């Protein structure tokens, strides 16, 4: 605002000369907000303010942008203007402004661009003669050709008097000639250029726009996806932060209305291409988008050019890949298409991705919203995507696995068993322990026809569920009962290859061995013959598997063989430090064993470093089942380093997550860490009173649905918000009714209202302790 205040003050002091101001910035960057401030400043100084922007009503009239800006002032001062303007000027202006036609002959002179520009220039001079005129032209990139010609004329031959001609535009969409005119005006010193650059992501002005209740993960996502654009951050916060390939939530009406203006320049081909691209995701391939739009190559390229010209999409690199300008534009494009069209488009997208061998997760996302799942190959794509996504996006994996398990989708027993196994594991990762255990138990029921390798993976996951819910003996019994079948499992899937390759080809068997080792490490007790056999066999996978290496390191430390433990820990640390985050998503438990060994070895700084990364990854990938244990480990490392307040923060957050997910053992660990802190820090302090969670008898997902019910949402709206099917929402509601002992949604809403005052939101710690 300082630039604009200075310009206005200079004009007032000089009492005469016209000046120009150019405001350039991307969509949502705050151009209009700055024009608002400039208008208030000018009005308070006694200036007249004329403000216009391109619109449909002015598109058919010449000089439409200027007509929109000046018409109100001309109407208010028509009499005095007619008295001060010459006859020819009045005749020219009467053809443009209805209020100027009084007393002017109806036979207006023929169109003459030069004379009309002169007449409007004289009009602006007269409007500025009493106190000055601020002429603001917003969205210049959408202006009609006559308005751009007139602006060029005024920049080269400014009107006399105190006039500030202010233009705002998006640089990517402004034509080359107008760019040149504005640059020349700036070079001559007539105009000042203000470019609204993005904020730094840690700028306090930007971070202050993040909604106060946002958790740390949402906060980081909003800031990253905003790119430093303040308006876009606010729009994203209102719309939601779904994954780039997920179906976007419907934007609020005010956000959609602000973005829909960008679609007005599209023809039928442009709208079809933008809608097809929105179905595919924030990034898309041209050929696949053309197939989804149902356009031939010529029409598809013409439509793409329209979208590029409107800056709705942008190229990515030199190939056929493109992306939307931002997630809000994609959401508006998606929801402005009809529901029926979208359903068919998702089916066409699934078929096109199948033909082009597109990414499994993107294909699964299309199948989730298509009219129907065609065959077992589509089901296999859903299961493959769910299995791959389970460590990185367990909520998405749950949706895809449920879709694959719908009745009558497939009769392939092995495929359904695989989908059930993935669903159970993904539910555990997302913190739904009871439901995940129930799904896995059905898979392991007597008489279930499940392949041996698949069964081994399901047993390992079920053992994890028992551990998370504080039932180590049940986990031990399950694992030891399954161990005799391990040899058969290996025989079923053993390849004619080296031991290392064989271990990589037998994930179910390796998962079972790792589960047996993890249980003894976690629950203690003596090592049985089966446990020792599993540990010995696990060593074959260790050189390539960070989880196996870390488990062996922790085991050697437990046996007191510290030298060997140190060697394994060093190898495990080198391996995890070299792997990318996406790969480590499947091995986060390795961090707790590695860090525990490092604490045994007197290396708290190394343990802290590894656990900080692990906690960040657990938050990023939504792995609620591991977060409490990792936080407790991080608290112990910081305790050893003397960071008492930071260690206590870890204990408090671990306890909060453990309560929300029902992880009883983690509650005990967090309480133990707090007691240790109090003893070592010399503070006799009772544990902070944690308020009872909202409706503690419900699972996390059930509580979420109950809150939405209390807010008056229908089943369909809840399903859309949580990306579930309406049938799944009905199933959850039946369980909620049963657990709460109620019979209606109104009773659920009443119970939520009574319990809501007990709920508090703990802040998510983000500060790193000082070195």
């Amino acid at each position: 605002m300082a630039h604009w205040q200075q310009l206005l003050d200079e004009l007032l002091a000089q009492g005469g000369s016209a000046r120009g101001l150019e405001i350039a910035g991307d969509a949502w960057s705050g151009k209009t907000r700055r024009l608002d401030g400039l208008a208030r400043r000018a009005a308070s100084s006694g200036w007249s303010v004329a403000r216009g922007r391109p619109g449909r009503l002015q598109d058919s009239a010449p000089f439409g942008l200027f007509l929109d800006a000046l018409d109100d002032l001309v109407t208010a001062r028509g009499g005095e203007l007619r008295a001060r303007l010459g006859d020819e000027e009045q005749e020219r202006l009467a053809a443009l402004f209805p209020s100027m036609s009084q007393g002017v002959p109806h036979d207006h002179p023929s169109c003459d661009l030069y004379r009309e520009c002169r007449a409007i220039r004289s009009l602006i001079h007269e409007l500025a003669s009493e106190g000055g005129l601020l002429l603001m032209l917003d969205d210049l990139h959408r202006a009609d050709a006559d308005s751009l010609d007139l602006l060029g004329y005024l920049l080269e031959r400014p009107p006399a008097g105190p006039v500030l001609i202010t233009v705002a535009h998006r640089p990517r969409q402004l034509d080359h000639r107008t760019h040149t005119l504005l640059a020349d005006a700036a070079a001559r010193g007539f105009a000042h250029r203000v470019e609204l650059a993005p904020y730094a992501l840690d700028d306090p002005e930007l971070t202050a726009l993040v909604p106060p209740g946002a958790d740390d993960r949402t906060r980081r996502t909003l800031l990253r996806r905003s790119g430093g654009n303040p308006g876009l951050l606010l729009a994203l916060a209102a719309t939601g932060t779904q994954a780039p390939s997920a179906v976007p939530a419907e934007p609020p009406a005010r956000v959609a209305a602000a973005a829909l203006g960008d679609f007005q320049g599209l023809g039928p081909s442009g709208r079809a291409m933008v809608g097809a691209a929105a179905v595919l995701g924030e990034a898309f391939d041209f050929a696949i988008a053309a197939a989804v739009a149902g356009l031939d190559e010529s029409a598809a390229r013409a439509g793409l050019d329209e979208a590029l010209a409107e800056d709705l999409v942008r190229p990515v690199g030199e190939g056929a890949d493109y992306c939307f300008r931002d997630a809000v534009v994609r959401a508006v494009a998606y929801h402005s298409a009809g529901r029926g069209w979208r359903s068919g488009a998702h089916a066409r997208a699934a078929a096109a991705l199948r033909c082009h061998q597109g990414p499994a997760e993107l294909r699964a996302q299309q199948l989730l919203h298509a009219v129907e799942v065609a065959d077992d190959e589509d089901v296999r794509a859903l299961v493959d995507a769910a299995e791959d996504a389970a460590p990185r996006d367990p909520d998405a994996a749950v949706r895809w696995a449920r879709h694959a398990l719908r009745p009558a989708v497939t009769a392939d027993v092995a495929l359904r068993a695989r989908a059930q196994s993935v669903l159970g594991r993904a539910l555990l990762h997302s913190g739904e322990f009871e439901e995940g255990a129930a799904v896995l138990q059905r898979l392991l029921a007597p008489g279930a026809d499940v392949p041996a390798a698949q069964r081994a993976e399901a047993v390992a996951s079920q053992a994890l569920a028992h551990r998370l819910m504080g039932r180590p003996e049940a986990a031990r019994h399950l694992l030891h009962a399954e161990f005799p079948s391990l040899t058969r499992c290996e025989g079923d899937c053993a390849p004619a290859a080296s031991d290392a390759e064989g271990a990589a080809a037998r994930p179910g068997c390796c998962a079972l061995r790792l589960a047996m080792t993890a249980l003894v490490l976690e629950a203690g007790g003596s090592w049985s013959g089966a446990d020792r056999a599993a540990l010995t066999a696990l060593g074959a996978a260790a050189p390539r598997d960070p989880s196996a290496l870390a488990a062996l390191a922790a085991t050697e430390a437990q046996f007191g063989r510290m030298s060997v433990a140190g060697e394994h820990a060093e190898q495990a640390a080198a391996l995890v430090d070299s792997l990318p985050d996406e790969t480590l998503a499947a091995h986060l438990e390795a961090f707790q064993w590695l860090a525990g060994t490092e604490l045994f070895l007197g290396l708290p700084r190394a343990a802290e470093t590894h656990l900080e990364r692990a906690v960040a990854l657990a938050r990023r990938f939504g792995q609620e089942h591991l977060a409490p244990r990792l936080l407790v480990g991080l608290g112990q490392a910081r305790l050893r380093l003397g960071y008492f307040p930071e260690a206590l923060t870890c204990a408090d957050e671990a306890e909060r997550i453990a309560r929300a997910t029902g992880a009883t053992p983690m509650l005990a660990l967090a309480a133990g860490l707090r007691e240790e802190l109090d003893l070592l820090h010399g503070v006799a302090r009772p544990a902070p009173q944690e308020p009872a969670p909202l409706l503690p008898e419900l699972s996390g997902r059930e509580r979420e649905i109950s809150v939405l019910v209390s807010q008056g949402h229908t089943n369909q709206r809840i399903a859309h918000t949580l990306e579930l099917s309406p049938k799944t929402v009905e199933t959850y509601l039946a369980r909620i009714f049963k657990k709460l002992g109620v019979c209606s949604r109104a009773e659920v809403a009443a119970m939520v209202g009574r319990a809501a005052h007990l709920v508090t939101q703990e802040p998510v710690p983000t500060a790193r302790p000082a070195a």
Side-chain angles (χ1 to χ4, degrees):
M1 190 63 67
H3 286 290
W4 306 325
Q5 290 177 355
Q6 181 180 352
L7 282 172
L8 286 171
D9 292 341
E10 288 177 1
L11 285 168
L12 288 169
Q14 294 167 3
S17 62
R19 299 289 295 275
L21 176 64
E22 175 190 1
I23 306 172
D26 285 339
W28 306 102
S29 61
K31 301 183 296 297
T32 300
R33 179 164 55 87
R34 284 165 172 79
L35 289 178
D36 291 341
L38 180 57
R40 289 192 297 270
R41 168 69 175 166
S44 67
S45 300
W47 285 48
S48 297
V49 177
R51 183 169 184 174
R53 66 192 314 162
R56 291 179 179 177
L57 293 178
Q58 290 80 31
D59 285 347
S60 59
F63 311 107
L65 178 57
F66 283 84
L67 297 185
D68 186 53
L70 297 172
D71 190 55
D72 287 345
L73 282 178
V74 172
T75 300
R77 298 166 60 178
E80 64 178 272
L81 290 172
R82 284 192 298 273
R84 294 161 63 177
L85 290 168
D87 291 342
E88 182 181 354
E89 291 169 335
Q90 288 188 53
E91 291 178 6
R92 296 283 175 185
L93 293 172
L96 300 173
F97 297 94
S99 59
M100 292 291 293
S101 62
Q102 183 177 351
V104 177
H106 292 289
D107 296 330
H108 298 307
S110 60
C111 179
D112 185 327
L113 180 63
Y114 174 70
R115 293 180 183 278
E116 287 167 343
C117 288
R118 285 189 61 187
I120 296 174
R121 177 174 174 271
S122 297
L123 174 66
I124 292 172
H125 165 72
E126 294 299 336
L127 290 172
S129 62
E130 296 181 10
L133 173 67
L134 171 62
L135 175 59
M136 298 194 298
L137 307 174
D138 202 356
D139 287 345
L140 185 67
H141 52 282
R142 301 191 188 285
D144 59 280
D146 286 335
S147 292
L148 293 177
D149 286 337
L150 174 56
L151 176 64
Y153 179 85
L154 294 174
L155 292 176
E156 292 176 354
R157 300 173 179 82
V163 180
L164 179 56
I165 303 173
T166 302
V167 298
H169 64 85
R170 301 178 190 173
R172 294 173 184 267
Q173 295 172 253
L174 196 65
D175 66 274
H176 177 71
R177 175 173 173 267
T178 309
H179 264 303
T180 302
L181 287 170
L182 292 171
D184 180 64
R188 288 187 283 109
F190 174 76
H192 286 246
R193 176 182 171 87
V194 177
E195 188 165 359
L196 303 181
Y199 285 83
L201 297 188
D202 59 352
D203 190 301
E205 288 190 32
L206 184 70
T207 57
L209 300 178
V210 178
D215 58 40
D216 191 48
R217 185 182 181 189
T218 301
R219 180 186 182 85
R220 291 195 306 271
T221 301
L222 285 172
L223 289 169
R224 174 176 53 81
R225 299 187 73 184
S226 75
N229 184 322
L232 179 56
L233 189 149
L234 292 172
L236 287 170
T239 304
T241 56
Q242 294 84 4
S245 63
V247 166
E250 186 171 3
R254 60 182 177 80
V255 174
L260 275 172
D262 295 345
F263 292 76
Q264 292 180 9
L266 298 178
S269 295
R271 285 191 172 274
M273 279 298 287
V274 166
V279 164
L280 290 169
E282 289 181 25
F284 60 94
D285 175 87
F286 167 76
I288 296 176
V292 177
L295 300 174
D296 60 33
E297 183 175 358
S298 176
R301 292 200 179 279
L304 179 65
D305 284 341
E306 291 178 7
L308 289 167
E310 295 296 325
D311 196 31
L312 296 172
V313 301
R314 296 172 179 175
V316 179
E318 300 295 329
D321 292 331
Y322 297 85
C323 68
F324 278 93
R325 183 184 75 209
D326 55 60
V328 175
V329 167
R330 186 230 170 174
V332 172
Y334 183 86
H335 288 283
S336 62
R339 184 183 296 273
W341 183 91
R342 294 200 306 262
S343 182
H346 280 295
R348 294 193 296 274
L353 288 164
R354 179 173 175 173
C355 179
H356 288 78
Q357 297 182 333
E361 291 189 13
L362 181 54
R363 184 176 164 196
Q365 188 66 51
Q366 304 309 316
L367 291 168
L368 193 65
H369 299 279
V371 178
E372 61 182 11
V373 176
D375 52 29
D376 280 1
E377 187 174 341
D378 283 344
V379 176
R380 191 169 290 106
L382 284 165
V383 178
D384 287 345
E387 191 165 42
D388 185 57
R392 296 177 290 102
D393 190 351
D395 289 341
V398 167
R399 292 193 296 272
W400 296 333
R402 286 194 198 280
H403 203 61
L405 285 167
R406 289 179 305 157
V409 168
T410 179
D412 188 321
V413 174
L415 192 55
R416 289 189 67 84
R418 212 175 127 225
Q420 203 165 346
S421 177
V422 173
L423 175 59
R425 188 161 66 252
L427 285 166
L428 295 182
H429 285 185
S430 62
E432 299 290 341
F433 301 153
E434 290 185 7
E435 186 179 359
V439 169
L440 293 166
Q441 188 57 46
R442 290 195 296 271
L443 187 63
L444 299 174
D449 186 8
V450 182
Q454 205 78 62
R455 183 177 179 86
E457 287 188 339
V459 168
S461 297
Q462 185 69 308
L464 173 61
H466 287 315
R467 287 165 48 202
L468 291 169
M469 292 187 290
R471 300 197 291 257
E473 288 306 316
R476 193 185 308 276
H477 175 76
L478 177 65
L479 289 169
H480 285 192
E482 192 68 22
F483 186 74
S485 66
L486 184 59
T487 304
R488 286 199 308 276
C489 170
E490 291 178 323
D492 291 341
C493 56
S498 67
D499 287 344
E501 291 171 339
R506 300 190 292 273
C509 303
C510 291
L512 190 58
R513 291 180 182 131
L514 196 59
M516 296 177 73
T517 302
L519 178 63
V520 181
L521 285 172
E522 184 177 299
S526 59
W527 289 78
S528 68
D531 295 329
R532 289 182 178 275
L535 179 63
T536 300
L538 196 63
R544 298 186 178 188
D545 189 324
S547 295
L549 260 177
L552 288 173
T555 305
E556 295 296 346
Q558 191 177 92
F559 289 157
R561 297 194 285 264
M562 306 310 292
S563 176
V564 180
E567 292 176 7
H568 285 312
E570 188 174 345
Q571 294 169 7
L575 184 56
V576 299
D577 290 345
S578 68
L579 292 174
D581 291 351
E582 287 70 19
T583 301
L584 285 175
H587 299 282
L588 292 189
E589 202 168 17
F591 281 96
Q592 75 181 54
W593 299 325
L594 171 59
T597 306
E598 288 170 334
L599 288 176
F600 261 117
L601 296 170
L603 302 171
R605 182 70 69 186
E608 183 203 29
T609 299
H610 285 127
L611 285 165
E612 280 182 334
R613 185 183 183 191
V615 168
L617 292 179
R619 288 173 177 155
R620 173 183 169 188
F621 296 125
Q623 294 198 28
E624 295 291 320
H625 70 302
L626 289 178
R629 185 175 289 278
L630 293 171
L631 281 162
V632 169
L634 180 58
Q636 290 170 337
R638 288 177 170 172
L639 172 59
R640 304 299 185 271
L641 292 168
Y643 303 133
F644 295 105
E646 292 80 1
L648 183 58
T649 298
C650 291
D652 289 342
E653 188 186 359
E655 186 172 356
R656 179 178 61 80
I657 298 174
R659 285 187 185 280
T661 58
T664 305
M666 299 302 102
L667 282 174
L669 284 176
L673 174 59
R674 183 182 290 105
E675 290 175 5
E676 186 177 1
L677 280 162
D678 290 343
L679 287 172
L680 293 176
H681 202 40
V683 178
R685 176 181 58 83
Q689 294 298 311
E690 178 79 16
L694 178 67
L695 304 175
E697 56 268 62
L698 302 183
S699 69
R701 179 66 85 185
E702 290 165 352
R703 285 195 292 272
E704 197 171 14
I705 290 174
S706 298
V707 170
L708 291 174
V709 167
S710 73
Q711 294 170 353
H713 293 293
T714 64
N715 285 5
Q716 289 74 19
R717 182 62 182 172
I718 294 171
H720 179 78
T721 301
L722 302 180
E723 294 195 9
L724 303 172
S725 70
K727 185 67 176 176
T728 301
V729 174
E730 291 175 10
T731 302
Y732 272 116
L733 278 173
R735 287 162 46 185
I736 291 168
F737 287 172
K738 183 177 179 180
K739 288 185 178 181
L740 298 182
V742 299
C743 302
S744 69
R745 301 166 73 92
E747 290 177 280
V748 172
M751 294 189 73
V752 170
R754 286 195 297 270
H757 70 280
L758 298 175
V759 179
T760 59
Q761 295 295 325
E762 295 289 339
V764 177
T766 58
R768 175 183 171 83

